Amino acid sequence: MRSKGFTLIELLVTLVIVGILAIIAIPSFTEQVAKSRRSEAMRGLGDLQLRQERWRASNTSYGTYANLGSPTVPNYTLTITGISATGYTLTATRANAQSSDRCGNYVLTVAAGVATKSLSDGSNASNCNWP
């Protein structure tokens, strides 16, 4: 009479297969989550740029956070520097869960009507979708 159930070998083979799948899937999942957070930062910078242009249409220089309000980006800190009548610099600095992101910080500089996008403080800028 044969007993019902799994043998120890069958269980070990199953565990090995699950382990191999986890080794492949977890880094891929982590990168996709980081990528979605990066797109949130880009969206926040775009929103802030639109707010700046709306403000400038009615004023003699670009605005500060006090004038514009701030879009919320959970894993980045947005800052405005270099405000003048002709330009400004917006920076999305990594924070919280994104603090060790390989892409670095996103920088958007507007000078005399020309927007320039760049990355700063990153260890690997490949596939970061900016600029």
Side-chain angles (χ1 to χ4, degrees), residues 17-27:
I17 291 170
V18 168
I20 291 170
L21 290 174
I23 288 171
I24 294 168
I26 290 173

Side-chain angles (χ1 to χ4, degrees), residues 91-121:
T91 305
T93 306
R94 300 169 291 178
N96 304 325
Q98 262 330 72
S99 61
S100 61
D101 185 41
R102 66 179 174 77
C103 288
N105 304 325
Y106 292 93
V107 180
L108 174 66
T109 304
V110 174
V114 178
T116 306
K117 299 175 181 179
S118 61
L119 293 169
S120 68
D121 301 329

